[in-house]
């Protein structure tokens, strides 16, 4: 679909061209002075520099040509040739008709789609999901839906942390508590029990003990490291026990992610590439890319012009075990070979930026994906009101499960206070509260620029006023009820502007194309949150200023009902990209 902005840019480019100037100067943008005009074009200044003439003159000449196009109700030239552009209502009528006819309600489509892997899970087997994983899940899910929407072929991978030191720590901890289990008997020839000796709650209890012990006691740490290396070398008992850890963890993870509406196409983990690392290192050693350093095998990634020193990427540690860096490099190879990945985007805490810089450079050097095909879409932390990473009241790491319960409880209380759906059945009200709670949490997270930190403020998140998830759900449900109360308008009834609020709503709807493009190319879902909020507000002003279902004039009523319908369609579309579920009623 050609967006309104594309159409206006097209006209302005033709005008610059006709003045023998580069058409690229005709780029039209949404005005930063909407009180003057909805659009502006600032190309005259740069065009004048290039042509060494007077910008004001160019501005006037281009304006004169644009006036002839008949597409503008008003054009003014400001300062050094800035053009303020107001399209005619006829142009807006055409724009809204195109938008209604578009199955994506104006969302931008990528001309040349790519095969992309999104890596946005990263939970660690044995450690319960905590708030740190919340942002990866929520942002990653939104980026997955967004990329699919614009046309990319996308696979979401959870990339479980199932191969590091924490596995050795757990194995040694279980061995201490239950030394008689067959997993620890080197003479045992199997088969090992099919039933897991531990539950996910056991793991949650065992891991902190093991990790604390390793911090305090060097001998414990050495044991855990040795167990990790043995596991990686394939000791059968350790592998069997490890498989139980992975299986019970996956089950719990599916439940928690499911509650958030987050799904993965691939449930792979670091361990899946263990067989690749040896051959890869061998091949890269032969090519001189992997080199020896203090008994370890590394890839040098520093460059002379680096501002900060970048340490080499560890491929194989001196004790023979592999780590986070080597699994990430080998996973790139796997994703290329198995899925034809042309791009990998990692939605991981910003604090891992150095790790990804090392991995990307190493992958590039190794002839896997080039650096510009690898992206770290890092995110800031969710902080408590004290400005530090969010913790429970007693200072512990908050489990995601408990956080979700907290938000849903709060949403339930709000719904009771607001007397929403007081006549509905208990189950429906509980379902509404669940959706409101999850929407509150997700929208609060997504509406902050990905890269910034934000403060967890439950009261604000679940408020029905302001830029919140509940406000948007309410806006969508309200439009739906306006439509439900009226007779459906004829499907071909044209949308025609009769009030300024309708013009504003159409202009807002028309901006969806560029919002989707910007959110996609910058991997910034908050741009879509801004759009959704702006749209809900524009509808609200329209709703206040205009009669809709009870408008007496048939053609005006039909036009307004169809405008309401396309607003609902686009709002639902963008909320769906954000991964936010709208209840049927509230
Ligand atoms: N498991 C890691 C962590 O909790 C995150 C993994 C992110 N993905 C990746 N490919 N490195 O820190």
């Amino acid at each position: 679909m050609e967006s309104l902005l594309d159409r206006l840019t097209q006209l302005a480019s033709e005008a610059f061209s006709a003045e023998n100037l580069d058409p690229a100067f005709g780029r039209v943008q949404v005005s930063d002075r909407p009180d003057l005009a909805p659009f502006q074009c600032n190309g005259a200044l740069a065009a004048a520099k290039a042509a060494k003439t007077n910008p004001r003159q160019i501005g006037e000449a281009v304006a004169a040509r644009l006036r002839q196009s008949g597409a503008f109700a008003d054009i003014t030239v400001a300062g050094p040739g800035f053009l303020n552009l107001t399209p005619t209502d006829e142009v807006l009528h055409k724009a809204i008709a195109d938008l209604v006819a578009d199955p994506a309600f104006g969302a931008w489509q990528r001309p040349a789609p790519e095969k992309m892997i999104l890596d946005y899970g990263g939970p660690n087997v044995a450690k319960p999901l905590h708030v740190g994983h919340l942002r990866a899940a929520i942002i990653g899910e939104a980026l997955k839906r967004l990329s699919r929407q614009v046309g990319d072929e996308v696979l979401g991978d959870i990339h479980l942390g199932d191969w590091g030191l924490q596995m050795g720590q757990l194995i040694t901890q279980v061995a201490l508590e239950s030394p008689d289990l067959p997993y620890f008997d080197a003479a045992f020839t199997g088969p090992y029990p099919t039933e897991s000796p531990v539950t996910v709650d056991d793991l949650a209890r065992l891991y902190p003990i093991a990790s604390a012990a390793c911090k305090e006691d060097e001998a414990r740490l050495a044991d855990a490291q040795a167990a990790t290396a043995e596991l990686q070398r394939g000791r059968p008992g350790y592998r069997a026990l490890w498989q139980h850890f992975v299986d019970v963890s996956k089950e719990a993870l599916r439940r928690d992610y499911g509650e958030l509406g987050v799904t993965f196409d691939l449930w792979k983990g670091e361990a899946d590439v263990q067989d690749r690392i040896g051959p890869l290192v061998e091949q890269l050693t032969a090519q001189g890319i992997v080199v020896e350093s203090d008994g370890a095998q590394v890839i040098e990634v520093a460059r002379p012009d680096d501002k900060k020193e970048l340490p080499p990427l560890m491929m194989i540690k001196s004790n023979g075990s592999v780590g986070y860096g080597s699994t990430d490099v080998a996973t790139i190879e796997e994703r290329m070979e198995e899925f034809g990945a042309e791009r990998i985007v990692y939605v991981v805490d910003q604090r891992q930026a150095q790790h990804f810089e090392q991995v990307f450079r190493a992958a590039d050097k190794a002839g896997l994906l080039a650096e510009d095909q690898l992206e770290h879409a890092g995110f800031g932390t969710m902080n408590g009101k004290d400005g530090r990473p969010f913790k429970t009241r007693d200072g512990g790491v908050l489990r995601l499960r408990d956080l979700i319960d907290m938000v849903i409880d709060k949403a339930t209380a709000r719904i009771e206070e607001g007397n929403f759906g007081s006549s509905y059945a208990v189950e429906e009200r509980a379902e509404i509260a669940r959706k409101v709670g999850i929407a509150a949490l997700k929208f609060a997270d997504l509406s902050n620029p990905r890269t910034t930190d934000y403060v967890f403020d439950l009261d604000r998140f679940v408020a029905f006023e302001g830029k919140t998830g509940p406000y948007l759900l309410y806006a969508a449900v309200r439009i739906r009820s306006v439509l439900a109360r009226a007779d459906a308008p004829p499907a071909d009834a044209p949308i025609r502007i009769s009030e300024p609020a309708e013009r504003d709503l159409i202009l807002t709807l028309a901006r969806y194309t560029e919002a989707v493009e910007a959110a996609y190319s910058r991997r910034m879902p908050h741009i879509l949150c801004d759009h959704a909020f702006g749209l809900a507000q524009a509808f609200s002003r329209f709703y206040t200023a205009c009669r809709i279902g009870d408008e007496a004039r048939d053609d005006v009523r039909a036009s307004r009902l169809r405008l309401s319908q396309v607003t609902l369609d686009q709002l639902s579309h963008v909320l769906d990209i954000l991964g936010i579920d709208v209840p049927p009623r509230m």
Side-chain angles (χ1 to χ4, degrees):
M1 193 193 105
E2 184 190 49
S3 75
L4 176 58
L5 209 55
D6 290 341
R7 164 135 179 74
L8 301 179
T9 293
Q10 177 67 29
L11 291 170
S13 301
E14 284 165 13
F16 273 93
S17 232
E19 291 297 315
N20 289 319
L21 296 162
D22 187 342
F25 292 125
R27 198 173 67 85
V28 172
Q29 60 197 69
V30 170
S31 174
D32 48 28
R33 286 289 307 275
D35 52 320
L36 297 178
F39 299 99
Q40 62 190 47
C41 171
N42 301 334
L45 196 58
K49 251 186 214 136
K52 298 201 169 57
T53 51
N54 179 332
R56 181 83 199 186
Q57 232 165 11
I58 293 185
E60 296 288 359
V62 169
R65 289 193 185 269
L66 284 177
R67 286 193 188 99
Q68 279 167 22
S69 74
F72 297 93
D74 190 34
I75 299 178
T76 58
V77 186
F82 296 142
L83 303 178
N84 292 314
L85 305 170
T86 307
T88 61
D89 283 353
E90 215 168 302
V91 167
L92 299 185
H93 292 157
K94 163 87 168 63
I96 192 70
D98 287 351
L99 200 123
V100 168
D102 180 12
F105 310 107
W108 180 78
Q109 307 284 310
R110 212 189 134 135
E114 276 184 327
K115 273 199 181 164
M116 177 201 276
I117 303 267
L118 259 170
D119 183 317
Y120 58 96
N124 299 309
V125 163
K127 307 189 205 171
L129 275 185
H130 58 80
V131 296
H133 294 111
L134 177 76
R135 298 211 72 190
I138 293 178
I139 297 169
E141 179 72 24
L143 292 180
K144 178 182 69 181
R145 290 166 182 240
L146 174 59
S147 311
R148 280 198 182 136
Q149 167 53 46
V150 309
D152 282 337
E153 206 180 300
V154 190
L155 289 174
D157 185 9
I158 190 167
H159 199 72
L160 287 174
D162 58 2
W163 209 230
L165 179 63
Q166 86 267 25
M167 306 315 309
Q169 290 174 316
L170 271 177
I171 291 171
T172 45
Q173 189 63 33
V174 175
L176 271 179
E177 292 194 6
S178 322
D180 297 334
L181 288 173
Y183 308 98
F184 309 113
D185 178 357
F188 187 79
T189 53
Y192 292 97
T194 49
E195 186 88 359
S196 172
V198 288
T199 65
V200 72
D201 290 329
D202 291 331
L203 294 181
R205 177 181 63 81
L206 293 170
Y207 175 73
I209 302 177
S211 132
C214 288
K215 276 193 195 114
E216 277 155 28
D217 183 349
E218 265 177 48
R220 282 294 301 272
L221 179 62
D223 281 351
Q225 283 166 334
T228 307
E230 274 190 275
L231 167 75
Q232 295 184 351
R233 254 181 262 126
R235 177 169 162 167
Y238 285 8
R239 291 303 296 265
L241 183 57
W242 169 86
Q243 192 62 55
H244 286 307
F245 296 163
V246 172
D247 292 344
V248 297
S249 294
K250 275 190 185 168
E251 210 183 293
L253 287 170
R254 270 186 221 276
R255 220 175 28 240
D256 285 357
Y257 280 117
E259 177 90 310
L260 283 173
V262 173
T263 59
F264 298 95
D265 307 291
L266 304 172
W267 279 73
K268 295 195 158 262
E270 296 168 357
D272 282 291
V273 294
Q274 42 141 344
D275 293 337
R276 287 181 176 272
I277 296 176
L280 182 66
V281 167
E282 217 166 280
Q283 179 204 328
L284 294 176
T285 305
Q287 295 174 317
I289 294 165
V290 166
V291 295
E292 192 183 317
S293 165
D294 290 333
Q297 312 293 313
V298 305
I299 300 182
E300 299 282 354
V301 290
R303 287 177 191 154
D305 55 347
D306 283 344
K307 289 197 187 67
K308 230 177 68 198
E309 201 192 328
L310 202 57
L313 183 80
M314 179 68 70
M315 290 299 281
I316 298 190
K317 293 179 197 153
S318 49
N319 75 350
S321 68
V322 301
Y324 195 39
S326 29
T327 53
D328 262 331
V329 173
T331 301
I332 295 174
E333 184 192 63
E334 181 190 47
R335 288 170 175 170
M336 292 171 72
E337 284 177 11
E338 283 191 18
F339 309 108
E342 299 170 285
R343 174 168 303 278
I344 306 178
V345 178
Y346 299 82
V347 185
V348 182
D349 195 316
Q350 192 62 44
R351 288 172 290 187
Q352 293 195 25
Q354 173 172 304
H355 165 76
F356 286 106
E357 186 67 52
Q358 292 173 299
V359 168
F360 296 171
R361 288 189 187 188
D364 192 322
K365 233 176 144 176
L368 297 169
L369 288 178
E371 265 180 274
D372 63 1
Q373 295 172 291
L374 296 163
E375 289 177 43
H376 175 208
F379 52 79
T381 51
M382 182 173 104
N383 290 330
K385 287 193 174 139
D386 58 357
R388 312 184 55 106
F390 195 75
K391 293 266 159 69
T392 55
R393 217 165 281 169
D394 56 17
V397 178
L398 182 66
R399 289 219 215 173
L400 188 58
R401 183 62 264 164
D402 299 333
L403 176 74
I404 294 174
D405 289 343
M406 250 162 79
V407 215
I408 294 177
D409 286 350
K410 193 69 165 188
T412 308
R414 269 297 148 83
I415 283 172
E416 309 260 295
E417 278 165 38
N419 237 341
F420 285 98
S422 43
S423 62
Y424 304 167
V426 203
E427 299 78 39
E428 186 177 353
R429 287 177 62 171
E431 184 54 15
I432 293 173
R434 202 185 66 79
K435 288 197 162 137
V436 168
I438 301 286
L441 187 62
K442 284 185 148 187
F443 191 82
D445 193 277
L446 292 168
S447 58
N448 294 285
R450 166 171 60 73
T451 42
T452 60
D453 297 347
Y454 72 98
V455 173
F456 183 78
D457 181 346
L458 203 48
D459 284 305
R460 196 169 57 77
F461 293 179
V462 300
F464 277 89
E465 311 80 40
K467 194 173 169 186
T468 68
Y471 170 77
L472 288 171
L473 296 190
Y474 184 69
V477 167
R478 183 167 69 172
I479 306 176
R480 199 178 285 147
S481 92
V482 167
L483 291 165
R485 276 185 273 122
D487 289 333
D492 57 352
I495 296 176
R496 293 288 175 260
I497 296 167
S498 53
E499 290 291 328
E502 294 168 297
R503 189 175 296 114
D504 282 348
L505 180 53
I506 291 173
L507 283 167
T508 306
L509 285 159
R511 284 203 283 272
Y512 190 39
T513 315
E514 285 75 26
V516 170
E517 180 175 8
Y520 170 80
S521 56
R522 296 170 55 199
R523 317 273 181 229
M524 288 286 198
H526 79 275
I527 296 172
L528 294 178
C529 294
D530 289 345
H531 180 78
F533 182 58
L535 185 59
Q537 284 185 307
F539 183 83
S540 184
R541 288 190 296 266
F542 161 65
Y543 180 84
T544 309
C546 301
R547 290 179 170 278
I548 305 176
D550 57 358
E551 162 63 42
R553 292 165 292 177
D554 287 343
D555 55 338
V556 177
R557 186 177 61 254
S559 164
R560 288 183 181 162
L561 285 167
R562 292 201 71 217
L563 184 56
S564 304
Q565 180 66 54
V566 68
T567 303
L568 175 62
D569 290 339
Q570 194 185 76
L571 187 57
S572 309
H573 195 261
V574 64
L575 288 175
D576 184 58
I577 292 180
L578 294 170
I580 292 176
D581 249 1
V582 184
R585 55 179 192 171
M586 270 164 81

